Amino acid sequence: MAKVKGDIFVDIEKCKGCELCLVACPQDSLALSDKINKKGYHYMVRIKDNCTGCINCALVCPEGIIKVYRKVGKKKEHVATVSNVTKDMTMEVN
Amino acid sequence: MSENTQLEIEEQNFLEEDICVKENLVFDRTQALTDVEMHYCPGCGHGVAHRIIMEVVDEMGIQDKTIGVAPVGCSVFAYNYMNIDMQEAAHGRASAVATGIKRVLPDKFVFSYQGDGDLAAIGTGETVHTVNRGENILIVFINNAVYGMTSGQMAPTTLEGMVTTTSPYGRDPKIMGYPLKIADLIAPLPGAYYVTRQAVNNAGNVRKAKKAIQKSFEYQKLNKGLCFVEIVSNCPSNWKMTPVESNKFVEEKLFPFYPLGDIKVPKEIK
Amino acid sequence: MPEVRLMKGNEALAEAAIRAGCDAYFGYPITPQSEVLEYLSREVPKKSNMVVLQAESEIASINMIYGAAGAGKRAMTTSSSPGISLMQEGLSYIASAELPCLVVNVNRGGPGLGTIQPAQGDYFQATKGGGHGDYKLIVLAPSSVQEMADHVRLGFEFADKYRNPVMILSDGAIGQMMEKVELFDQLPRDMVKKPWATTGKAKNRERNIITSLHIDPYDMEKINLRLQEKYKQIMENEVRYQSFQIDDVEYLLVAYGLSARICQKVVEIGREKGIKLGLIRPITLFPFPWNIIRSVSERVKGILDVELNSGQMVEDVRLAVEGRAQVKFYGRMGGVIPSPEEIFENFEKEFLKGEAL
C-alpha cells in the first residue's frame, strides 16, 4: 500500500479539550497542548507525524472543528481521488 | 498559502511537505451546521448527534426541505446550530409539533430531536401516539439517563442505583420506578417502521449512527412511517466525570441495559 | 345568493372552517363541542384535502396547531373549558412565537369537571390569559349560529393580520342550538403569504426559526414590548360590539354571548313598562369595548352586567366606567340559565327599589 500521509487542522479556539479525539486516534498522535485557548481550554494538537488521515478524530469531535487531510504517496499511479469521504458513506436503499 | 500557517510552527511537527491543502481535504465540517459555537459541555454527545444529522441532510441535498423540531432540554438551542428551518417546542410536545408540521407539509422532511426527559417522561403520551399513528417523521432520541439542562436530575432512563440530584442515594425502583426502555415499548406498535438504538461514543458507532439516520430519511422519502433512532449518549458534567470516563460509563453501564442495534427493521429490507 | 341552511352552532362553525380555507384541524372529543370534529371527519373527505386529525389529548392538539401554524398554514382547534385549560401552556407559547391560529372554547359549567350546560366562567381565562406571561388572545364572542360561522372567517383574518392566536368564546347553548345561517363562499387556501414560516430553508434565505425562547432578558423584553405594541394596535383598531336602544337609554345592560340574547328580551320587558333600558353586547371581549361603555355610562342612572358566572366581565365594565355610574351584577352559575323575567326582577330590585311599582 502506498505510504499514506495525513494531517489535521483544528480550530483551536473552539476546542473544549474534551480529549475524546485523543482516545479515538489509532495512531495515538494527538495530545492536549500546554497552552490554552481564549476560553481557557487546553486545545488539541497533533504531536506525532504518523497521522494516516483516518478521520476518527473528526468523527468523534463534538464541536466538529477538525479538518482532515490525506495524501496517498506518489509511488503508485493515482488510484482514486477521495474528494469527500463522507460521500461514499451514502448507502443505496433498495 | 496553505491553511495551516496561522498556528505557531513549533506547535505542529513540521512535515517535509504540507498535507493540508485543498485537494487532500477528506473531512470537513458540513455547511448544514452553522458556525455558531455550541454551548454543550466539553465531550457531550449532542454535538456529534447534531453533526451527523446535518451531514446526512447536507449529503441528501435536502437542507431546503427539512424542518427540525427541538423541545426544551439541553438541545433547546439546536436551532442555533442546525442551518435549517426549525421550531422550538414545549417540553414533551416535539412529536406533536412535528406531526402538525408534517401533516400540513407532507412532502418535507421532518424530524424531532428530543432528550430522555422530554420524550419518555412528560412527552410519553405524545411519543406513543405519534409512533402509533405511524407519522412519517424521524424521532431522534438522545438518551443520557439524566436531565442535563436542569443540571442532573433523575430521568426516566436513569439506571437502577444511579446517583443523580434527585436520586442522591441511587435510584431505588421501589420508590422511583424502573428505568424505562422506551424504544422497546414503542417498537411493537405497527406505526413504528424502523426502530434502532445507536451511540456516538466512538468513531465506529458514529459511523453506524449516521447510517441509521440516513436510512431513516430515506425511509421518510419513501413514506414508510415513523423512524425512531435512539442515541445512547453521555453527560459528563452531570455524571461528574471527564468526557473520556463518561464514554466508558456509557459502554460499561448504559449499553448493557440499553443494548445497541436495530430493534425493529423493516421486513422487506432484511 | 349565499347558501342558507338550518344548522347547529358547532356544525356551522365546522363548515365555516372549511370555507375559510382552514388547512388543518386538530381536536379532541369533549361535550358540548364534539360535533365539530365529527362534522369535519364526515364532510372534509368529500370535498377538501384539509387535514382533520383527532389527537390524543388537547395538549397534543394545541401543539399540533403550533407546528402547523409555524409552518405557515391556517390551523384551528376546538374544545370546551376543561380541554381549553389543558391548552393554556400551548397558547402562551403560540402567543409568544406570534403564530396565527384559531382556538374555539365552547364554554361549559365549571369549575372542575363541572357540567355540560352553557356557562361563561372562562371569561377571565380567555381575556386575561390562562397561561403564563404577558400575552393576549383576540377573543370573539358569538351570540348566534350566524356568528359561529362568521367569527371563523373573522378570526382567521385577525389571526393572520396580527400573527396572533384568536379565541372564539362560545358556549354550550350557542354550540348546540340550531338556527338559520348564511354561509360565505369557499375561500382559497394559502391566501396570506408567510415568509417567516418554517417551510424548508430555501437557498436564497436565512433559516426561519419559530421559538418563544429568548434566554437573554433584554431580548425577551424586546419581544414583550413588541407584543404589547401589537395589543395596543388591536385595542385601537379591532373593537367590535353591538348596541340595542342606547340612544335614549336610562339603564344600561352589558352582556355577551348567550346572556346578551336573554338581555335583549329584558330590554323589551323594561321598555314595555316605560323604563328605558338599553344593551351593549361586546363582540370582541379583547379588545374590550371600553370607550362606548364609558361614554354611555355618563348618561345613565345605572348599569347591570349580566353573565353566566360569578361576575367576571363586570370588572372590565367597572374599569371602563370608573365610577361614572353604579355598576351592578347579576349572574347564574353552574350552567343554570336565568330567564329574562328573573333578570328584570333583579334589575328592579337593584335600581328601582320599588320606584316604578
Side-chain angles (χ1 to χ4, degrees), chain A residues 40-90:
Chain A
Y41 288 113
H42 292 283
Y43 49 84
M44 181 267 280
V45 284
R46 184 176 51 72
I47 51 169
K48 292 188 196 138
D49 62 1
N50 57 0
C51 168
T52 62
C54 74
I55 73 163
N56 270 14
C57 59
L59 286 177
V60 299
C61 174
E63 309 308 320
I65 53 170
I66 304 174
K67 284 191 170 107
V68 183
Y69 299 83
R70 182 188 309 144
K71 187 167 161 321
V72 180
K74 285 198 193 45
K75 280 197 274 343
K76 283 271 175 10
E77 90 297 341
H78 201 70
V79 175
T81 43
V82 180
S83 60
N84 177 346
V85 77
T86 47
K87 269 280 171 304
D88 51 36
M89 290 170 66
T90 324

Side-chain angles (χ1 to χ4, degrees), chain B residues 157-175:
Chain B
T157 49
T158 296
L159 298 180
E160 197 173 330
M162 203 168 156
V163 171
T164 70
T165 58
T166 50
S167 61
Y169 309 108
R171 177 176 191 166
D172 175 356
K174 283 194 296 306
I175 307 165

Side-chain angles (χ1 to χ4, degrees), chain B residues 62-128:
Chain B
I62 54 173
Q63 193 177 355
D64 60 351
K65 289 200 280 293
T66 302
I67 296 130
V69 181
V72 169
C74 283
S75 58
V76 70
F77 288 118
Y79 56 71
N80 286 333
Y81 315 128
M82 297 183 179
N83 193 13
I84 55 173
D85 277 2
M86 289 202 71
Q87 294 198 19
E88 190 274 310
H91 193 36
R93 318 308 174 192
S95 55
V97 171
T99 298
I101 298 169
K102 187 72 182 191
R103 288 295 176 118
V104 296
L105 300 175
D107 57 352
K108 300 290 162 77
F109 291 87
V110 178
F111 70 92
S112 76
Y113 183 99
Q114 303 172 253
D116 35 34
D118 187 273
L119 181 133
I122 187 170
T124 314
E126 279 75 7
T127 303
V128 169

Side-chain angles (χ1 to χ4, degrees), chain C residues 156-212:
Chain C
F156 273 127
E157 274 160 25
F158 278 159
D160 284 335
K161 180 176 176 186
Y162 292 98
R163 266 190 72 175
N164 207 74
V166 172
M167 175 170 281
I168 292 177
L169 182 58
S170 177
D171 65 64
I174 293 173
Q176 293 294 332
M177 71 171 63
M178 290 187 83
E179 272 182 335
K180 190 180 68 130
V181 53
E182 263 180 39
L183 293 166
F184 52 88
D185 294 336
Q186 176 69 41
L187 300 175
R189 307 271 286 278
D190 294 333
M191 284 183 291
V192 179
K193 286 286 154 282
K194 296 172 180 176
W196 46 265
T198 57
T199 51
K201 185 190 105 51
K203 302 239 176 342
N204 54 11
R205 71 161 165 80
E206 286 302 306
R207 67 188 185 285
N208 283 336
I209 296 168
I210 301 292
T211 183
S212 58

